[in-house]
Amino acid sequence: MKRTGIVIGCLILAACGTSQPDRHQQISSWNAVSYQDWRDDDPGFLLAPGDAIEVTVHTATELNRTATIGPDGRVNLPLAGPVMVAGRTDAEAASAVADAYTAMLRDPIVEVNVDSYGPQNIIIGGQVNSPGLYEMPTRIGALEAVMLAGGFKDDAARGEVVILRRARNGGVMMRVVNLRDVLRGDGSGDPIPLRRHDIVFVPRTTISEVTLWVEQYVYGILPLDQAFSYAIANAINNN
């Protein structure tokens, strides 16, 4: 993982509301790539490969386990075998595990809690000095992400930085933030806390170039699985 010696002046970020200023409007489609409307009401945390979860079966405590989610998004549980839990909330994962045990247990009562979190990775690409895969050190926004990647290149379009996020149905959501305003002291220009697996793309002179980049590195990879960021990072670094 690339790292820089830049000291990041972290901003205090507030969660986004459902309505945003015009300069943060989401874009629904561009050319061949279709983007979904940006939604802030999705759960802030979904399970992903690398997370360790505590599975408690209250009606059969001998089945209680702490298990790590594998690269395929599943956990292996006694009697139930592999159960898909990635991309789900704790409660949704508990329901999936309960369904898996229904054939062998009567009315299973299951609880799932996170024991430890896997890497909180994001992708940073475009006109930054060191594009690639980075682990978020804390709760950060797009500007701090750019600083992690060595800062803007001279020809970066600071006012049209793109954030890409995987929607729950596997599609791609996109939003544009104006980091030029943030750098000028207008904190309202960067209201979006990043989530793991987000992609921050800094275009050169116009936002339209993100379409080609997405087609090359993102659109065909995003729907596959929660580990897509590693494949994208490899493509960026070898471009």
Side-chain angles (χ1 to χ4, degrees):
M1 183 183 302
K2 299 185 179 79
R3 296 187 181 274
T4 69
I6 294 175
V7 178
I8 302 170
C10 295
L11 303 177
I12 303 299
L13 298 170
C16 301
T18 55
S19 61
Q20 299 293 337
D22 290 343
R23 63 176 175 272
H24 302 307
Q25 67 183 31
Q26 59 268 25
I27 299 175
S28 59
S29 65
W30 258 327
N31 300 332
V33 178
S34 295
Y35 299 97
Q36 298 183 13
D37 290 338
W38 188 275
R39 295 177 61 88
D40 290 320
D41 57 352
D42 284 337
F45 180 83
L46 300 176
L47 297 173
D51 292 341
I53 59 173
E54 292 182 351
V55 179
T56 303
V57 184
H58 292 285
T59 48
T61 56
E62 67 275 11
L63 298 176
N64 293 351
R65 289 292 186 280
T66 297
T68 300
I69 303 173
D72 62 352
R74 293 172 169 82
V75 289
N76 284 302
L77 300 174
L79 299 183
V83 179
M84 174 61 70
V85 295
R88 296 174 172 172
T89 64
D90 293 356
E92 290 167 346
S95 179
V97 173
D99 289 343
Y101 278 128
T102 297
M104 58 203 76
L105 297 176
R106 182 174 181 178
D107 299 325
I109 300 174
V110 177
E111 181 180 357
V112 169
N113 294 292
V114 176
D115 180 68
S116 62
Y117 298 105
Q120 304 295 299
N121 290 327
I122 58 175
I123 291 292
I124 309 165
Q127 299 308 298
V128 293
N129 287 307
S130 299
L133 175 69
Y134 288 85
E135 184 172 352
M136 289 190 294
T138 185
R139 190 168 183 255
I140 64 173
L143 180 59
E144 290 91 346
V146 170
M147 295 301 104
L148 277 177
F152 293 104
K153 288 187 175 180
D154 291 341
D155 55 355
R158 294 167 173 81
E160 294 185 322
V161 175
V162 173
I163 298 174
L164 300 171
R165 179 172 292 171
R166 181 180 178 176
R168 294 207 68 186
N169 63 5
V172 185
M173 300 187 297
M174 187 183 71
R175 186 158 184 156
V176 180
V177 295
N178 187 342
L179 296 187
R180 180 183 292 113
D181 284 354
V182 179
L183 292 167
R184 291 173 176 172
D186 181 357
S188 65
D190 182 27
I192 304 172
L194 297 178
R195 298 178 187 170
R196 64 176 168 181
H197 299 153
D198 278 358
I199 298 169
V200 178
F201 179 80
V202 181
R204 179 175 287 104
T205 56
T206 172
I207 196 175
S208 61
E209 70 176 280
V210 73
T211 296
L212 177 60
W213 190 83
V214 168
E215 288 174 338
Q216 289 177 333
Y217 299 134
V218 180
Y219 204 65
I221 300 174
L222 263 171
L224 295 182
D225 58 55
Q226 290 280 343
F228 71 92
S229 58
Y230 295 94
I232 300 171
N234 184 62
I236 293 171
N237 292 330
N238 291 318
N239 183 33

